[in-house]
Amino acid sequence: MGGAVSAGEDNDELIDNLKEAQYIRSDLVEHAFRAIDRADYYLEEFRDSAYKDLAWRHGNIHLSAPCIYSEVMEALDLQPGLSFLNLGSGTGYLSTMVGLILGPFGVNHGVELHEDVMEYAYQKLDFFIKTNDSFDRFEFCEPSFVVGNCLEIVLESRQYDRVYCGAGVQREHEDYMKKLLKIGGILVLPLEEKLTKITRTGYNTWETRKIIAVSFAPLVLPKHRENGKPRAVSLPAMFEVRSLQDLARISIRHILKKSGSGSLPLPRRNGLKRRNHLKLRREHRDTPLLTNSYLFMSRLIPGPMDNNNNQSSTDNEDEDEDCRRVCEQLEENERRNEGSVLVIETPVNLLRERILSLPLPEPLKMYLLYYREK
């Protein structure tokens, strides 16, 4: 499902479009989306489709549309130190973004039905930790995944601050999902074709809010064993005892990030590239909304009625004149720069540079870097 916003040429432009359409509304969520390239979670032969606002499926591997993940992240109201459970954790894309907000002392668990998908998620997680510079800009809560049916969790064993279910839930399973939630916690799930936010306000009291219309594949019902009993899904430990060595690494990295000029800068967009696509985006909004086979109800904002044809024509001429001036200016800049050498500044990973400059043995430096490749 999806198709609510225009496609981007890269991950940043996709996020720009989601912000413009008000699917991404908070800085925390925006930073998490920009930190992780959606295309990294696609198979190589399908990367060209990564920046479209559409769901993607290949075999058991599945990603929801970016507009859906945006609404989910905003509805979860994530904060550092919370516990999170992802039911149907899939590729780990959502869980990894959540981990960037939860920080090193949060809890980040996922339950995935298919073992091959869980293995794929761990491969993508390892790739993110070892190669993505965003890992050093955040304090990360690494997700842990287990294989099993989310309807077979032992309910008495665990409750979480935030829970998300990535499969369609019917009314008969609503109470089951609610029992996974702590008092004050938030549950986000597709409930009877509506993405729904449920807040537990007391032991037996709840607040429910419908967000948008969606269409998800339904939950897969458990297969009972020969004795008639379901298989119990064992969740990862809620609070593992961290080693002193691990805690020291977290503390040292935190201090180095805050030293000097404060926290490390987050990546920012190049404003020129965004202006080059103004006309394209304006034209796109005048075309019919396209979706795939899923049902979607977008939050379109109606434009003003064209009661005066002369006024509409004048507005269009003004827009064309503005675009013509911008194009002429860009062409003039290109002519001036002909023959000059284009110098591209390589982004500097400040945390890495600070760790490498410490008077420590090389193995200890690599430990502080999580053995990450440059």
Side-chain angles (χ1 to χ4, degrees), residues 260-299:
S261 59
S263 58
L264 298 182
L266 291 162
R268 292 189 176 276
R269 289 281 289 136
N270 184 315
L272 181 60
K273 184 173 183 180
R274 183 167 172 77
R275 288 196 297 272
N276 290 344
H277 295 285
L278 270 176
K279 186 174 181 181
L280 177 63
R281 198 166 300 152
R282 185 184 298 123
E283 291 173 351
H284 180 89
R285 285 198 293 271
D286 294 334
T287 61
L289 180 67
L290 300 178
T291 65
N292 59 8
S293 58
Y294 297 108
L295 170 71
F296 184 78
M297 181 184 297
S298 66
R299 302 174 299 169

Side-chain angles (χ1 to χ4, degrees), residues 9 19 110 118 143 193 209 214 263 287-288 318 341:
E9 289 190 357
K19 281 191 65 181
M118 186 192 73
E193 305 298 311
R209 179 172 70 87
V214 293
S263 58
T287 61
D318 291 343
V341 178

Side-chain angles (χ1 to χ4, degrees), residues 151 168-179 187 189 191 219-222:
L151 293 175
V169 178
Q170 296 304 312
R171 285 290 176 189
E172 58 263 31
H173 295 125
E174 181 182 358
D175 287 342
Y176 173 92
M177 296 291 174
K178 288 178 175 179
K179 291 176 182 177
L187 166 66
L189 75 171
L191 183 62
L219 282 172
V220 176
L221 298 179

Side-chain angles (χ1 to χ4, degrees), residues 228-283:
K229 295 181 180 180
R231 301 175 185 271
V233 174
S234 298
L235 293 169
M238 181 66 86
F239 296 107
E240 296 182 0
V241 178
R242 310 285 279 269
S243 68
L244 183 59
Q245 186 176 351
D246 189 26
L247 292 172
R249 174 167 61 179
I250 292 170
S251 180
I252 292 170
R253 286 171 63 91
H254 177 78
I255 292 170
L256 290 175
K257 284 179 186 177
K258 297 297 182 183
S259 66
S261 59
S263 58
L264 298 182
L266 291 162
R268 292 189 176 276
R269 289 281 289 136
N270 184 315
L272 181 60
K273 184 173 183 180
R274 183 167 172 77
R275 288 196 297 272
N276 290 344
H277 295 285
L278 270 176
K279 186 174 181 181
L280 177 63
R281 198 166 300 152
R282 185 184 298 123
E283 291 173 351

Side-chain angles (χ1 to χ4, degrees), residues 306-317:
D306 289 333
N307 292 330
N308 189 318
N309 291 332
N310 292 332
Q311 180 64 39
S312 176
S313 176
T314 302
D315 291 343
N316 289 336
E317 289 174 1

